[in-house]
Amino acid sequence: MSSLRLLTSVTRRATTNFAHARRGYAEVSEKLKLSLALPHKAIYNSQDVVQVNIPAESGDMGILSNHVPSIEPMRPGVVEVIENSGSQKFFVSGGFATVHPNNRLTINAIEAAPLEDFSIEAIRAGLAEANKVASGSGSEADKLEARIEADVYEALQHALAK
Amino acid sequence: MSSAWRSVFTYNKYAQITARAVRASLKEEQRLAAEKRGLTLMRYQQWDSGKGGPQVRGKSLVVTTFLILRQITLAEEEAAKAA
């Protein structure tokens, strides 16, 4: 009988505790620390930011402070970094975004550059060339390579058109 | 997303292809700078009495391997002389 009473009191306490740990949106008070690193330089090095939007393989996603730890492979696409002072967009060639448990986000890519560094003419020329190779009579690997390149150029055009 | 490349390319090769396309799309000035560091297979630096020399980038595996082997031979010859 007493053990039953103990059990019920434990469950009651557990439910009240659960009620205190409410679910909610990620806290914005503590800043997310972003590192955006390329093999040749670090664009961001553990800098406080508000939000980062990444082109994850599974779909575009926005990362705020206190995000659940995760590893996301990225498509070639736009990484948008939102700071208090404004936002900046970079085009990355793909890579990985890792959210660490201590509120840090690291993004690794081979190439990344601000959108204003890209030339629309160069992209158009590249796309035309890649499409020509992709529909040509080369080997399967060559055509696939051109297909991948064409996807990158299309993503770039889409990013610059906005 | 298209993961058709998986059966043909490794991830490293795929990353290399996308990076090359991104580099080729840059404006003239940035593109030249990017292509200079472009495809790097190896990077080495020779250290002499505690000071690092200039960093040398290898674009071709054959050339870089040759250079490194030559450096090693030179170092060994010097060591033999000193002994």
Side-chain angles (χ1 to χ4, degrees):
Chain A
M1 191 58 201
S2 70
S3 66
L4 181 68
R5 201 177 303 140
L6 184 69
L7 190 69
T8 50
S9 77
V10 165
T11 44
R12 199 177 307 133
R13 207 167 295 151
T15 46
T16 50
N17 279 349
F18 180 73
H20 279 295
R22 271 187 305 134
R23 277 163 170 264
Y25 292 107
E27 288 284 332
V28 193
S29 54
E30 203 187 332
K31 286 287 185 66
L32 178 68
K33 281 193 177 354
L34 169 70
S35 301
L36 175 53
L38 311 179
H40 54 94
K41 74 168 182 185
I43 300 178
Y44 286 87
N45 190 0
S46 215
Q47 205 169 311
D48 284 354
V49 297
V50 177
Q51 184 184 340
V52 183
N53 297 336
I54 59 163
E57 197 80 69
S58 53
D60 290 0
M61 60 189 276
I63 295 171
L64 285 164
S65 179
N66 291 324
H67 192 279
V68 68
S70 50
I71 303 174
E72 294 289 337
M74 294 188 300
R75 296 170 294 160
V78 177
V79 168
E80 185 177 15
V81 181
I82 301 166
E83 293 173 77
N84 280 335
S85 50
S87 81
Q88 213 183 345
K89 287 180 176 178
F90 299 90
F91 191 93
V92 298
S93 71
F96 287 89
T98 316
V99 185
H100 300 271
N102 55 359
N103 210 13
R104 281 169 195 278
L105 168 64
T106 53
I107 300 178
N108 299 310
I110 309 261
E111 273 307 333
L115 283 191
E116 57 267 23
D117 280 5
F118 290 96
S119 137
I120 296 176
E121 294 78 53
I123 297 167
R124 201 177 299 133
L127 180 59
E129 177 64 27
N131 277 334
K132 204 172 77 185
V133 176
S135 58
S137 56
S139 71
E140 211 47 47
D142 285 347
K143 283 204 263 188
L144 193 55
E145 188 171 331
R147 194 61 247 154
I148 295 170
E149 282 177 352
D151 282 347
V152 176
Y153 293 126
E154 275 165 11
L156 263 166
Q157 275 187 337
H158 183 67
L160 290 181
K162 266 190 263 180
Chain B
M1 261 304 280
S2 60
S3 292
W5 54 269
R6 280 217 178 273
S7 54
V8 183
F9 298 124
T10 59
Y11 181 79
N12 277 352
K13 179 69 186 168
Y14 170 75
Q16 217 174 60
I17 294 168
T18 58
R20 197 182 55 210
V22 169
R23 244 176 259 132
S25 311
L26 289 166
K27 280 182 184 156
E28 200 60 17
E29 191 188 330
Q30 287 92 341
R31 189 176 59 81
L32 288 177
E35 258 154 31
K36 232 171 250 173
R37 59 179 156 67
L39 179 69
T40 304
L41 289 169
M42 246 184 226
R43 192 151 65 153
Y44 72 90
Q45 182 182 30
Q46 196 176 9
W47 285 68
D48 194 18
S49 39
K51 285 200 185 97
Q55 288 200 356
V56 184
R57 284 170 187 279
K59 290 187 189 280
S60 139
L61 200 55
V62 180
V63 173
T64 325
T65 318
F66 170 74
L67 284 173
I68 290 176
L69 284 176
R70 201 185 60 183
Q71 293 288 353
I72 294 171
T73 330
L74 286 176
E76 275 173 356
E77 273 171 16
E78 261 175 45
K81 244 183 257 166

